[in-house]
Amino acid sequence: DVGRFDEAMDILETQCFEDKDKAGVYLHMGIMYDVKCDYEKSEKYHVLALQEMLNRDILESFQDGGKNRRHAIDIVNIPPADRLCHIKHPMPDIIKQLNFLADNYNAQSRIDLTEAYLGKALELAYQLYGEEANVPDIATTIMNIGDVHRHRNHFYEAEECYRKASDMHKKTVDIKTDPSMAHIHHRLGSLYLLMPEKNFRAESQFVRALARFHIPDRYTNPRTMAESFHNLGLCRSAARDYYQAREYFQRALDMLN
């Protein structure tokens, strides 16, 4: 519930002092600020989450008798572009967190950083799973790389990434119960609105996205759902179905209030 933001943040800040899983707490604080579009604070907590994950990996390596003793990393005070050289060990949590940070930088239009973090995430995912593997971590990273292409107006490259991610998700998750496909349909619809020759495909993508956004997903930003409703309104308006367009625009506003 976006309206209970302050209450949720108080709970999370208390958990920072009580919960052993500080990485998970920081992650959810970052997500909360993503929802509020406060990307500066969101970045802060996503970086703290990444630091906790990296240092947990170091501690576990030392306790397991790792031969290469490593010291705790303070990446918070390192410039964003310089952090990536400290990330060397492929772990699912770290791959996911690099994607969260890439999303944050994309929202801030810091596209070079977005591309760098996604490149590192894909490199680690290939190390962990292999380049031919069909796994959600790789599919999500490729989907997010599509966002970089879209931002740079490389529309056909973006479509190729979204389609590839879609094919991978269909092989790895139950698309009837997993919300991943909702995000891909939303992105494809947004992309087709930018491509005059494919405008006619946009509406069906938003309909598919909204049909799947109802699946419980703690990472779905309500603003993304509102954007799908808004874009459906644009599609209906272009078709001169103004009554239905108004209904979709109102649904979008209701989600943001």
Side-chain angles (χ1 to χ4, degrees):
D1 186 344
V2 179
R4 301 179 66 185
F5 175 82
D6 292 335
E7 181 182 345
M9 289 308 298
D10 287 342
I11 294 171
L12 287 170
E13 287 173 358
T14 300
Q15 286 183 318
C16 279
F17 298 99
E18 300 176 352
D19 201 315
K20 292 183 180 181
D21 182 20
K22 285 186 170 57
V25 176
Y26 287 140
L27 167 61
H28 285 92
M29 292 177 79
I31 292 170
M32 289 293 291
Y33 280 115
D34 282 331
V35 171
K36 295 288 285 185
C37 296
D38 188 339
Y39 297 117
E40 184 176 343
K41 287 185 178 178
S42 169
E43 179 187 358
K44 169 189 171 182
Y45 286 110
H46 281 310
V47 171
L48 285 169
L50 179 61
Q51 177 167 284
E52 287 292 326
M53 293 172 187
L54 290 170
N55 287 330
R56 181 176 61 198
D57 174 39
I58 289 170
L59 178 62
E60 289 174 352
S61 174
F62 180 69
Q63 290 176 340
D64 289 343
K67 295 181 180 179
N68 298 320
R69 181 171 180 174
R70 295 173 285 154
H71 300 284
I73 297 172
D74 176 13
I75 63 169
V76 173
N77 297 308
I78 298 175
D82 296 335
R83 291 178 189 138
L84 297 179
C85 65
H86 294 279
I87 305 171
K88 301 176 181 178
H89 297 269
M91 297 176 61
D93 285 350
I94 290 175
I95 294 167
K96 289 181 175 67
Q97 194 57 30
L98 288 171
N99 272 279
F100 277 118
L101 270 166
D103 280 343
N104 177 281
Y105 293 134
N106 188 46
Q108 298 182 62
S109 296
R110 299 164 73 180
I111 301 303
D112 288 343
L113 278 177
T114 304
E115 188 171 36
Y117 275 67
L118 290 174
K120 188 68 176 183
L122 193 61
E123 173 192 325
L124 295 178
Y126 282 156
Q127 287 180 29
L128 182 62
Y129 303 111
E131 294 189 17
E132 302 302 320
N134 289 306
V135 295
D137 283 344
I138 294 178
T140 298
T141 305
I142 290 173
M143 177 185 72
N144 290 335
I145 290 172
D147 292 345
V148 174
H149 287 304
R150 187 181 66 184
H151 191 97
R152 289 180 168 159
N153 295 329
H154 301 160
F155 297 145
Y156 288 100
E157 290 86 346
E159 182 181 22
E160 182 180 354
C161 286
Y162 296 150
R163 292 294 182 188
K164 183 174 181 180
S166 175
D167 290 342
M168 294 180 75
H169 274 305
K170 289 175 182 177
K171 295 176 182 177
T172 58
V173 301
D174 182 349
I175 61 174
K176 293 182 179 179
T177 59
D178 189 277
S180 304
M181 290 301 298
H183 296 279
I184 295 176
H185 288 309
H186 173 79
R187 283 164 162 83
L188 278 168
S190 300
L191 176 66
Y192 291 149
L193 284 179
L194 299 173
M195 304 171 72
E197 72 278 17
K198 295 192 176 183
N199 280 172
F200 69 96
R201 295 184 178 179
E203 183 172 357
S204 64
Q205 294 296 329
F206 292 124
V207 169
R208 292 177 186 176
L210 288 167
R212 289 174 170 80
F213 271 136
H214 75 279
I215 299 170
D217 177 18
R218 57 183 171 165
Y219 300 133
T220 296
N221 190 329
R223 294 177 185 274
T224 303
M225 298 174 67
E227 186 179 338
S228 281
F229 277 118
H230 176 265
N231 288 340
L232 265 178
L234 293 178
C235 293
R236 286 291 82 209
S237 181
R240 298 186 178 183
D241 182 357
Y242 301 119
Y243 177 82
Q244 188 65 65
R246 182 177 178 179
E247 290 290 314
Y248 285 133
F249 290 142
Q250 188 59 56
R251 292 286 299 276
L253 287 172
D254 290 343
M255 294 208 67
L256 296 174
N257 291 331

